[in-house]
C-alpha cells in the first residue's frame, strides 16, 4: 500500500513539474513535446509523463494530435479574457469587503512584499511570485483568501500572457508602481480608487498581448484549426 501511494505522489509531482514548465514558458507556447525526452530529463518512465500530458490537455495547456504528437498550446487570448474576467470579478468584489480596521499582520506583510518588489536584480520569476503573493494577501485582507485557489486554477493561459508581458518590459518596476498605488488606496480606505487602480492594473495584460503578438504572433492561438508542425519555438531572444 505505501508503494502505491508513492507512485501516485510521483505522478502528481511529474504533472506539477510539467505544468510549471508550461506556465513559466520553459516549455514555450507551440513547442513540440516528446514523451521520451521529457521522461529522460525528469528521470522517470514515459507513463507518468503521458498521464501528465493528458491532464494538461484537459486544462487546455497542451494539445494532442493523433499520429502527429503533443504540443504546448499557444496562448489563447479568448481563454486569457475568460480568466481575466473571473479574476477581476473576484478581486474587485473583495475590495468592497475590506474591514474598517485592517489586519495589522497582513498590512505589514503587504508592505514587506512591496519593498521586496523593488529589490535590485530581482528576477522575473521572483517578481511573479511576489505579484501572486501580493494579490493573494489582498484577498486575505478582505476575508476571501480561500477564493485564490479557484482563481489560480483558472488562469493558466492568463499567467503565461502575464509572463510574456514581463519579458516585454525592461523592468517590472511599472507593475510594482501599480501595486503601490492599489495598496495606498486600500490603506487610506478609498475603495473606489482601489477598485479603479486594480481594474487598470489587471487589464494591462490585454495591451501586453497586442504588443507581443505584433512581435511574435506564433506564440498565440489564431483561432484556426491548423495542425502544428514539429519545430523549435523561441519565446524571447
Amino acid at each position: 500500500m505505501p508503494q502505491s501511494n508513492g507512485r501516485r505522489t510521483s505522478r502528481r509531482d511529474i504533472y506539477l513539474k510539467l505544468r510549471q514548465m508550461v506556465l513559466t514558458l520553459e516549455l514555450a507556447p507551440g513547442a513540440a513535446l516528446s514523451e521520451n525526452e521529457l521522461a529522460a530529463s525528469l528521470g522517470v518512465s514515459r507513463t507518468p509523463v503521458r498521464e501528465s500530458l493528458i491532464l494538461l490537455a484537459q486544462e487546455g495547456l497542451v494539445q494532442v494530435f493523433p499520429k502527429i504528437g503533443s504540443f504546448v498550446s499557444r496562448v489563447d487570448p479568448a481563454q486569457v479574457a475568460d480568466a481575466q474576467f473571473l479574476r477581476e470579478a473576484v478581486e474587485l468584489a473583495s475590495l468592497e469587503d475590506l474591514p474598517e480596521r485592517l489586519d495589522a499582520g497582513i498590512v505589514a506583510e503587504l508592505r514587506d512584499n512591496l519593498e521586496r518588489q523593488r529589490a535590485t536584480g530581482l528576477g522575473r520569476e521572483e517578481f511573479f511570485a511576489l505579484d501572486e503573493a501580493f494579490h493573494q494577501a489582498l484577498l486575505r485582507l478582505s476575508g476571501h483568501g480561500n477564493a485564490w485557489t479557484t482563481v489560480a486554477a483558472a488562469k493558466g493561459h492568463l499567467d503565461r500572457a502575464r509572463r510574456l508581458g514581463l519579458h516585454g518590459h525592461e523592468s517590472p518596476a511599472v507593475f510594482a508602481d501599480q501595486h503601490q498605488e492599489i495598496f495606498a488606496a486600500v490603506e487610506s480606505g478609498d475603495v473606489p480608487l482601489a477598485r479603479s487602480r486594480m481594474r487598470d492594473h489587471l487589464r494591462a495584460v490585454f495591451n501586453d498581448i497586442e504588443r507581443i503578438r505584433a512581435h511574435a504572433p506564433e506564440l498565440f492561438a489564431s483561432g484556426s484549426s491548423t495542425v502544428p508542425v514539429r519545430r523549435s519555438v523561441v519565446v524571447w531572444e
Side-chain angles (χ1 to χ4, degrees), residues 53-62:
L53 293 181
I54 291 172
L55 292 175
L56 292 172
Q58 292 172 353
E59 292 184 56
L61 296 176
V62 164

Side-chain angles (χ1 to χ4, degrees), residues 111-177:
R111 287 174 179 160
D112 177 67
N113 181 294
L114 288 169
E115 183 176 345
R116 287 189 289 151
Q117 287 182 31
R118 299 187 182 280
T120 303
L122 191 67
R124 288 186 173 88
E125 278 304 311
E126 293 174 298
F127 182 84
F128 192 90
L130 289 170
D131 182 302
E132 295 279 279
F134 174 81
H135 286 274
Q136 187 174 12
L138 284 179
L139 284 175
R140 287 166 44 218
L141 198 61
S142 66
H144 296 294
N146 290 334
W148 182 257
T149 302
T150 301
V151 172
K155 61 189 185 75
H157 282 266
L158 173 59
D159 283 349
R160 291 195 295 163
R162 290 167 59 209
R163 283 183 167 96
L164 287 172
L166 282 173
H167 278 281
H169 290 270
E170 292 185 6
S171 164
V174 60
F175 301 110
D177 289 342

Side-chain angles (χ1 to χ4, degrees), residues 81-97 139 144 147 151 195 198-199 202-203:
D82 287 342
Q84 174 61 26
F85 174 79
L86 172 63
R87 183 178 187 184
E88 183 175 313
V90 170
E91 296 203 44
L92 293 186
S94 73
L95 293 173
E96 296 288 352
D97 289 339
L139 284 175
H144 296 294
V151 172
R195 283 173 54 89
M198 178 69 81
R199 184 183 296 108
L202 295 179
R203 292 184 181 182

